[in-house]
Amino acid sequence: MKVHFTKTPEQQLEILLRGTAEVISKHELLEKLKESHKEGRHLKVKIGMDPSAPDIHLGHTVVLRKLRQFQDLGHKVQYLIGDFTGMIGDPTGKSATRKPLSREEVEANAKTYLEQVHRVLDDDPAKFELRRNSEWCRPMAFDDVIRLASKYTLARILERDDFTNRMKEQKPISLHELLYPLIQGYDSVMLESDVEMCGTDQKFNCLVGRALQEDAGQKPEAIIAMPLLVGLDGVKKMSKSLGNHIGITDAPNEMFAKLMSISDKDMWVYYDLLSDRPDKIDLQKKVLAGLYHPKKAKQELAKEITQRFYGAVKAQEAWDYFENRHDMNQSVDYPEVNVSIGARNFADFLVQTGATKSKSDAKRLIEQGAVNWVRLNELGERVDEFKVDDFRMMVSIDRPGPQGILRAGKIFLKISCNNS
């Protein structure tokens, strides 16, 4: 069936280049778009996903959202479940050989993946094709594997940073790991893909695919590498194994709260990679100029993303819940702790109130920016609020009655004075 495109190849290219980290190459991609436009056929856009864990997180959706743009422009996604490569274990970014998954584990994870991926991608058969690389990998005989291995040199395989670093550190590399890039590249040959989507950490594997396609007499696929989304720790890429992820099946309140926990700096990375808001650049300028509060900007981002997966009603409920529970609202019935009159530093204060077990725990939370203090007047009304950024800061209790609301990590306490 012929595809009738509503945008020119140049207009499509402009949309597809937004937010990318690297394209190999822009010229090739434009030529492919022109050819598909002329012939009235869709491009075949490959994404390979090894089901190494059962859930998809927001980091995965960076690539999935770009794939959705391809679909909306009239092209077809080849969604490849790496059920064969998943049993090898992708060595990308790994400092040691990881334990391969069993076929049963891969199948269980793949089932969950597919249930979740359609929250982002259109499952219309005209725009979505599901494939598994076990279709061609499992029937391969040993001589087929040898022929495939002959297509690439060991020197080129060892150019991968993962392998180079492990060799320098004298860490073992198993032979089966060296086959992984070849198998991923062979997938592109079998699918005859026009474009392959990946994160920047997968660029090497995609380049192998281009080389194998050329060797097979095919036009090499264009590669679109998307930036990696930093996790909640603000340091490493989002990963379930690192515990710094936001799952797309996280409950609305949990998703909203996790998004509110990212730093003000990382918020703009999340805006760039996850938000559809057209004025995000202007919004950033307003925040940096002090014309708009960064917390409000972060709340709007959290609401937008939560709404994407749960709808407007649940997103607003999550906003309200966060305001009431996590925004240190004096009307919330937090556990109450009585303290005596006197001045003490915040490290001691956290221990005295039971918010932490030790001064070292208190100092750690303060250094992480996870301690806030809302000061209340004698009527229990909010006076001011500030983040505690130094454990030596003093808190003074000089009268009986309500004093404030203390947040220490996930613990919220209402502090009062018993006049003793």
Side-chain angles (χ1 to χ4, degrees), residues 144-415:
D144 296 322
V145 177
I146 292 174
R147 275 193 292 272
L148 178 60
S150 72
K151 304 293 184 182
Y152 222 72
T153 67
L154 179 61
R156 292 186 69 183
I157 289 289
L158 292 177
E159 288 174 359
R160 275 185 54 149
D161 291 341
D162 316 284
F163 296 144
T164 302
N165 293 335
R166 280 158 67 178
M167 287 182 69
K168 287 179 181 177
E169 297 168 5
Q170 297 185 331
K171 293 182 177 179
I173 302 172
S174 296
L175 283 175
H176 75 283
E177 295 181 277
L178 303 179
L179 294 175
Y180 189 95
L182 286 173
I183 297 174
Q184 182 172 327
Y186 187 59
D187 293 342
S188 296
V189 175
M190 297 305 294
L191 292 172
E192 298 184 19
S193 305
D194 297 303
V195 182
E196 180 160 14
M197 292 290 311
C198 65
T200 52
D201 58 342
Q202 290 286 330
K203 174 184 168 182
F204 181 91
N205 294 348
C206 296
L207 289 172
V208 175
R210 279 173 60 91
L212 294 181
Q213 281 183 314
E214 282 193 284
D215 183 79
Q218 299 177 11
K219 287 185 178 179
E221 62 191 13
I223 299 171
I224 298 182
M226 297 299 293
L228 301 177
L229 184 67
V230 67
L232 295 175
D233 56 5
V235 179
K236 297 181 179 179
K237 75 171 185 176
M238 186 172 287
S239 167
K240 187 170 184 181
S241 62
L242 296 175
N244 64 355
H245 68 292
I246 304 174
I248 68 169
T249 57
D250 284 349
N253 291 348
E254 183 181 3
M255 180 180 288
F256 193 99
K258 283 183 177 180
L259 286 162
M260 289 301 296
S261 74
I262 63 177
S263 69
D264 291 351
K265 177 184 175 183
D266 289 338
M267 169 176 62
W268 301 115
V269 177
Y270 279 58
Y271 258 112
D272 286 340
L273 299 181
L274 299 174
S275 174
D276 292 324
R277 184 167 175 159
D279 66 335
K280 51 192 173 187
I281 295 177
D282 291 335
L283 177 64
Q284 184 176 14
K285 290 178 180 177
K286 288 180 181 178
V287 171
L288 293 175
L291 302 175
Y292 205 81
H293 201 288
K295 178 183 172 185
K296 182 72 180 302
K298 198 182 299 183
Q299 284 177 306
E300 291 172 2
L301 173 68
K303 183 179 180 181
E304 177 188 354
I305 295 173
T306 305
Q307 181 172 324
R308 182 175 302 151
F309 297 104
Y310 289 102
V313 173
K314 290 291 185 183
Q316 185 59 53
E317 288 176 354
W319 178 310
D320 294 339
Y321 179 85
F322 186 88
E323 284 282 303
N324 291 332
R325 181 67 183 170
H326 292 277
D327 198 30
M328 305 174 72
N329 190 320
Q330 61 268 31
S331 65
V332 177
D333 188 23
Y334 298 119
E336 187 168 344
V337 174
N338 277 301
V339 298
S340 60
I341 287 177
R344 65 279 274 172
N345 64 49
F346 266 98
D348 290 330
F349 190 52
L350 264 61
V351 175
Q352 291 171 8
T353 58
T356 62
K357 294 181 179 179
S358 66
K359 288 186 68 171
S360 59
D361 287 342
K363 291 176 182 179
R364 177 179 53 80
L365 282 178
I366 291 169
E367 288 172 356
Q368 292 175 349
V371 176
N372 292 72
W373 175 243
V374 172
R375 198 159 55 90
L376 305 177
N377 63 20
E378 59 273 14
L379 299 177
E381 299 168 335
R382 181 184 296 241
V383 176
D384 57 20
E385 174 185 353
F386 59 87
K387 179 176 288 188
V388 180
D389 55 12
D390 188 333
F391 75 90
R392 290 163 297 204
M393 289 176 64
M394 301 297 291
V395 55
S396 180
I397 308 298
D398 55 8
R399 57 168 176 77
Q403 302 296 320
I405 301 168
L406 177 66
R407 178 181 80 92
K410 296 181 179 180
I411 294 176
F412 292 80
L413 299 172
K414 185 171 287 187
I415 309 300

Side-chain angles (χ1 to χ4, degrees), residues 56-67:
I56 290 175
H57 54 64
L58 290 184
H60 294 126
T61 68
V62 175
V63 172
L64 293 176
R65 281 163 49 79
K66 183 59 65 176
L67 287 166

Side-chain angles (χ1 to χ4, degrees), residues 68-133:
R68 181 58 187 256
Q69 288 182 349
F70 269 104
Q71 289 184 314
D72 293 342
L73 291 170
H75 302 290
K76 189 171 188 175
V77 168
Q78 297 174 311
Y79 193 86
L80 179 71
I81 292 288
D83 59 337
F84 189 86
T85 44
M87 292 189 293
I88 296 175
D90 184 2
T92 302
K94 303 297 182 293
S95 59
T97 300
R98 81 180 186 186
K99 181 183 176 182
L101 297 176
S102 68
R103 186 180 299 184
E104 292 73 22
E105 289 173 316
V106 169
E107 286 299 322
N109 291 346
K111 184 176 184 295
T112 309
Y113 257 44
L114 288 174
E115 291 170 354
Q116 297 175 14
V117 75
H118 290 305
R119 294 190 179 198
V120 182
L121 295 181
D122 190 337
D123 61 357
D124 182 344
K127 297 181 179 181
F128 184 88
E129 177 187 15
L130 175 65
R131 301 295 295 272
R132 295 168 178 262
N133 61 8

